[in-house]
Amino acid sequence: MSLPRHLFTPAFRHQHLGGSFAAIVGIMVFIATFATAAEAILLTASYLWGQTAEDRLTIEIPAVGDEATMSQAERVKQVTSLLRAMPGIENVEALSNKDVERLLSPWFSKPELLRALPLPTLIDVERSSDPNLTAEKIQAALRNVVSDARVNDHGTWVQDAWRLVQGLTVLGGLTIFLTALTLIISVSLICRAVIAAERETISLLHLMGTENIDIANHFQTQATRIASRASIIGFLVALVITSVLFLSTRQLSDLSALGWGHWLGVGIVSLLVPFGATVLAMVTAKISVMRLIRTFP
Amino acid sequence: MLLSFENVSLTYPPKHNILDDITFSLDEGGFYFLTGTSGAGKSSLLRLIYQAERPTKGRVALFGEPLTNNGHEKQAELRRKIGIVFQDFRLIPHLTAWENAALPLRLTDAGDDYIERHTKELLEWVGIGDRMDAKPEELSGGEQQRVAIARAVVTRPRLILADEPTGNVDEHTALKLFHLFVELNKLGTAVILATHQRHVVDKFHKPALRLAKGKLQKVES
């Protein structure tokens, strides 16, 4: 059975219903793709950051003046020696002044300002996953050699950040769910309007002995054609905007931890959105039409 | 048996009797006129046959099968055995004459080649072979009705129901269309043709059911 391809075309053109249908699908795909891509990037990046940062500590040794009894270099040497001797410490690396300046430079407009400040020395410490080797224990051990050394446990902020990411993930999921719901409601309403505009044609098809499932299938094919095109456009626009946004904010959000494989994964997950939206629009169109034309003579 | 009505009544609320206790039966392959003045109930009777209405009382059977409480699938199956011609043609405005006429065939398993060839032959037979690509708005009333007739018979139905098919055409065209229905009947298709044009009916010497105020007055043969 093959009804004419353009049987419902005038109805889709009626009061720009086809255009509205395409616009809604396109916009919803744009929002959902954006949310999905952002969520996938956030989850992957935070997982990778968490993996690298959770077992790390930063020891901060405040700068001292010339009048101090022990030079800053000596203080650093004593601390690193102590740390290297501690069981469970896997790597100790003191950051050079240049590294510290690089880390602080985004917050200073003039480099000379930064050079004028007494910068602390930072020591990056990698520990094993031994739960007994806490930041407090290391802090207590350091107090005996350099009393003002401070230990910053990355595990603490990683856990806070992870909780924040989980909250954002739920929010992203909710956005995608609400977008899908809006898509279903909008597509359903537009399909009802299209079918109402073609009431006479459908009644005529009924009188010829056409079954509702055949009319719904034909309508679905036409709706799918529009939805798939709109989905692709919405997806591509979202892809371009997401890329531009991440590229323009790459100074603030370090995504260097993400390799090609991760980006490919993000791309594949995002690709599910236009497919999902098209399928959703297809199914919604068919169900809406079936429910409505059942009432036609 | 083509069709039988047994004590059929059709009433619209609150108490508007459209058809009142109609009983008759028609044989397969016959040609029948359904006559009566405007408002006599001709269209309602046809609507009962093609199941756009259900009788308030009584029993209607088509091709030996009762029409009461048919599900949608059974209803569709029975409708595929009927061709309907309306007074207002009911052609789909954005489809060409060929597309309109071919529409019922597209609902069957017929192949594209058969649809193409058969519809073309049929449109030539009804006399608009040279206007196949025209849209309904480009055709005259008579031409539109010819397309509607072609559409009604394209699947070779067992029965054609024509509801005032000549109501929107001049008398000369009306006579030509009546002859077309007679020709179709000769090919084996039963025809029930509702008309109020009594003078045209008299020219054809075919059995006629006469309705007046919802009652069957007479079965003339």
Side-chain angles (χ1 to χ4, degrees):
Chain A
M1 198 211 73
S2 61
L3 290 167
R5 210 181 137 140
H6 51 296
L7 188 62
F8 295 129
T9 304
F12 273 104
R13 285 190 188 143
H14 178 70
Q15 292 187 351
H16 308 293
L17 289 172
S20 308
F21 183 89
I24 283 168
V25 173
I27 291 166
M28 294 301 150
V29 167
F30 169 79
I31 295 169
T33 305
F34 193 75
T36 307
E39 196 165 343
I41 291 168
L42 191 66
L43 271 173
T44 314
S46 56
Y47 174 73
L48 293 172
W49 290 331
Q51 266 194 332
T52 52
E54 201 164 23
D55 294 329
R56 282 176 186 269
L57 304 158
T58 299
I59 315 284
E60 183 192 337
I61 303 171
V64 288
D66 295 339
E67 70 282 3
T69 51
M70 204 192 300
S71 71
Q72 180 73 348
E74 185 59 27
R75 281 153 55 92
V76 172
K77 194 178 164 191
Q78 287 205 10
V79 169
T80 50
S81 302
L82 178 78
L83 287 167
R84 282 180 183 134
M86 283 178 84
I89 297 292
E90 291 180 345
N91 189 39
V92 178
E93 192 183 341
L95 271 67
S96 65
N97 271 0
K98 211 174 168 186
D99 286 336
V100 177
E101 276 176 27
R102 186 177 55 81
L103 289 169
L104 294 173
S105 61
W107 284 270
F108 289 87
S109 55
K110 291 176 184 170
E112 54 271 21
L113 264 175
L114 193 58
R115 275 182 223 115
L117 285 168
L119 294 179
T121 303
L122 301 176
I123 301 169
D124 183 32
V125 178
E126 195 180 336
R127 62 181 163 176
S128 68
S129 309
D130 181 3
N132 294 320
L133 191 63
T134 60
E136 289 75 25
K137 271 192 179 175
I138 295 169
Q139 176 80 67
L142 289 179
R143 209 166 284 140
N144 298 324
V145 284
V146 176
S147 59
D148 56 350
R150 281 196 295 267
V151 177
N152 295 311
D153 188 356
H154 290 208
T156 312
W157 71 260
V158 163
Q159 277 175 9
D160 289 344
W162 189 244
R163 270 194 289 276
L164 177 71
V165 167
Q166 281 176 324
L168 288 172
T169 306
V170 171
L171 201 65
L174 193 68
T175 306
I176 294 165
F177 171 75
L178 289 175
T179 308
L181 196 66
T182 312
L183 181 80
I184 291 171
I185 294 167
S186 311
V187 166
S188 172
L189 288 173
I190 290 174
C191 287
R192 282 168 169 267
V194 171
I195 285 298
E198 282 296 351
R199 193 187 168 91
E200 274 189 32
T201 303
I202 289 163
S203 295
L204 187 69
L205 290 171
H206 274 165
L207 292 179
M208 288 176 188
T210 319
E211 292 191 25
N212 285 341
I213 187 79
D214 293 326
I215 299 172
N217 282 341
H218 183 76
F219 183 88
Q220 187 189 35
T221 308
Q222 207 154 347
T224 305
R225 220 174 287 139
I226 299 172
S228 55
R229 281 184 208 145
S231 290
I232 291 168
I233 293 169
F235 174 73
L236 291 176
V237 173
L239 199 70
V240 170
I241 292 181
T242 311
S243 307
V244 168
L245 208 63
F246 276 106
L247 283 173
S248 61
T249 59
R250 69 183 187 278
Q251 299 292 335
L252 295 173
S253 51
D254 180 14
L255 296 172
S256 56
L258 270 71
W260 280 110
H262 298 116
W263 284 111
L264 190 68
V266 170
I268 290 168
V269 170
S270 305
L271 254 177
L272 292 176
V273 175
F275 280 114
T278 306
V279 171
L280 206 60
M282 253 170 76
V283 174
T284 307
K286 188 167 179 174
I287 292 172
S288 310
V289 170
M290 282 293 280
R291 289 179 66 165
L292 187 63
I293 61 177
R294 219 178 281 161
T295 61
F296 286 9
Chain B
M1 181 73 67
L2 173 73
L3 175 72
S4 69
F5 272 54
E6 279 176 37
N7 308 108
V8 173
S9 295
L10 180 66
T11 309
Y12 290 148
K15 268 191 168 181
H16 185 48
N17 282 342
I18 307 296
L19 294 172
D20 189 10
D21 200 27
I22 305 276
T23 299
F24 69 89
S25 62
L26 304 177
D27 291 329
E28 285 269 9
F31 189 113
Y32 305 94
F33 280 113
L34 183 61
T35 64
T37 53
S38 190
K42 303 187 295 294
S43 296
S44 300
L45 193 140
L46 293 183
R47 284 170 67 80
L48 286 174
I49 302 171
Y50 61 74
Q51 301 169 87
E53 300 270 9
R54 288 196 172 167
T56 318
K57 268 201 301 192
R59 184 178 172 276
V60 181
L62 182 66
F63 312 126
E65 292 187 56
L67 299 186
T68 32
N69 299 323
N70 275 340
H72 181 77
E73 280 177 30
K74 184 70 190 166
Q75 192 181 59
E77 188 195 319
L78 278 168
R79 280 173 170 172
R80 283 195 288 272
K81 295 176 184 170
I82 306 173
I84 310 170
V85 181
F86 302 95
Q87 180 178 357
D88 56 356
F89 325 128
R90 294 206 197 169
L91 299 176
I92 298 174
H94 61 278
L95 300 184
T96 64
W98 185 89
E99 286 170 327
N100 267 292
L103 197 54
L105 259 188
R106 286 175 171 271
L107 309 174
T108 67
D109 296 329
D112 287 347
D113 285 347
Y114 176 79
I115 296 175
E116 172 84 36
R117 191 167 32 82
H118 183 62
T119 310
K120 211 171 164 182
E121 283 170 5
L122 199 58
L123 285 171
E124 276 163 7
W125 185 73
V126 296
I128 55 158
D130 55 341
R131 313 278 341 253
M132 282 191 282
D133 295 327
K135 298 271 174 70
E137 62 179 11
E138 298 160 0
L139 300 170
S140 68
E143 286 173 326
Q144 288 192 52
Q145 197 57 295
R146 283 167 190 271
V147 176
I149 291 168
R151 183 182 64 189
V153 299
V154 75
T155 54
R156 297 185 180 167
R158 286 169 70 179
L159 170 66
I160 292 177
L161 301 173
D163 190 3
E164 297 280 6
T166 56
N168 281 338
V169 296
D170 59 70
E171 200 164 319
H172 178 68
T173 311
L175 266 175
K176 279 186 172 177
L177 291 174
F178 275 117
H179 280 292
L180 207 54
F181 283 110
V182 172
E183 288 302 312
L184 282 169
N185 179 242
K186 281 180 187 164
L187 295 171
T189 306
V191 176
I192 301 175
L193 199 154
T195 181
H196 67 277
Q197 293 168 302
R198 190 66 223 200
H199 60 286
V200 182
V201 174
D202 292 339
K203 288 182 183 168
F204 285 89
H205 309 292
K206 297 284 185 189
L209 300 147
R210 199 168 155 199
L211 282 173
K213 291 182 183 171
K215 283 187 180 287
L216 186 63
Q217 295 265 303
K218 215 162 139 189
V219 181
E220 301 160 353
S221 53

